[in-house]
Amino acid sequence: MYRIYIIEDDDKIGAVLKKNMEKYGFEAACATQFRELMPELEAYAPHLVLLDINLPYFDGYYWCRQIRTRSSVPIIFISARAGEMDQVMAIENGGDDYITKPIPLDLLMAKIKGVLRRVYGEYAAAGHDGTAVGAPEAELNVQGLRLHLGRGELVWQMRKAMLTKNERLLAECFMRQPGRIVSREQLLEALWDDVQFVDDNTLTVNVTRLRKKLEELGLPKAIETVRGQGYMLHLRDEREGADA
């Protein structure tokens, strides 16, 4: 079942949208934390986002940019703004489509189904691993080590470890580039956000914590330090260790 995340501060409009998403067989949730949307969005791990422009604290363009730094999930703007420049800005900030209020529900559903079909369904372009390009990855898997992005949960051979936000971001960086050196600059960039600057010492502390959790799962020395360059994720097969 596809999950739709509705970012709309008008409760009545949000409720109507949610009801219609469910009517058509989708799961839907409305945003509640407009000061900081990302934790709620990432926990829900939607397949598509409906995003208003006029929101409390920060506008929809801002949140679209924030989402795009972490996800390629499809985003359809819904707004009372009918100007051409508003639509141009929505697309330039990372949106996939735009629909004006009052919302014609039949047209909105057609657009949603079309985007979902293009990104995840029959028209989706397949990546090298067979998954649809652009699909929000619920899970990363490297040699049996699995990272659930929505829950921040790391799993290895039936053992689980819950990660903090920073630990999850680091694990994601390493697992997207297994066996390759990931520079400290790349990792610092992954941890830094618009609110908090992360220094080199914070990076070291979080890498150490992630190493410890991997060790608790049964993967000691999974993250290697490459002096002067950065770190590398290297999962040794148990047979490899035995042969050594």
Side-chain angles (χ1 to χ4, degrees), residues 12 51 90 120 122 140 143 155 181 214 218 226:
K12 291 183 179 179
L51 177 60
Y120 310 115
E122 58 192 288
L140 295 177
Q143 295 177 232
V155 182
I181 297 171
L214 285 164
V226 183

Side-chain angles (χ1 to χ4, degrees), residues 36-42 62-73 135-137 149 165-166 168-169 172 176 190-195:
E36 180 49 78
L37 283 167
M38 293 310 295
E40 188 175 76
L41 184 146
E42 290 180 327
Y62 170 85
W63 287 119
C64 189
R65 293 194 301 273
Q66 294 303 303
I67 293 169
R68 282 289 170 259
T69 65
R70 308 185 191 185
S71 173
S72 57
V73 61
E137 297 167 276
L149 297 173
K165 175 186 173 182
N166 284 348
R168 180 188 61 76
L169 291 171
E172 183 177 350
R176 290 190 184 278
L191 296 185
W192 183 84
D193 59 32
D194 288 344
V195 179

Side-chain angles (χ1 to χ4, degrees), residues 30 33 74 148 153:
C30 295
Q33 303 298 321
H148 192 289
E153 184 179 74

Side-chain angles (χ1 to χ4, degrees), residues 210-224:
L210 179 58
R211 274 177 167 153
K212 184 176 181 182
K213 290 189 177 179
L214 285 164
E215 185 174 351
E216 291 171 352
L217 290 177
L219 291 168
K221 301 180 181 178
I223 299 176
E224 300 178 359

Side-chain angles (χ1 to χ4, degrees), residues 2 4 24 26 47-48 74 76 96-97 106-126 131-136:
Y2 289 116
I4 313 294
Y24 282 88
F26 299 119
H47 295 94
L48 183 142
I76 297 178
D96 294 274
D97 209 333
D106 288 343
L107 177 59
L108 175 61
M109 294 313 303
K111 285 178 176 286
I112 288 173
K113 290 178 180 179
V115 171
L116 292 174
R117 191 162 56 241
R118 173 173 57 80
V119 177
Y120 310 115
E122 58 192 288
Y123 304 140
T131 58
V133 173

Side-chain angles (χ1 to χ4, degrees), residues 178-195:
R180 296 171 57 188
I181 297 171
V182 184
S183 70
R184 294 183 70 87
E185 289 74 20
Q186 285 178 274
L187 297 173
L188 283 167
E189 186 175 326
L191 296 185
W192 183 84
D193 59 32
D194 288 344
V195 179

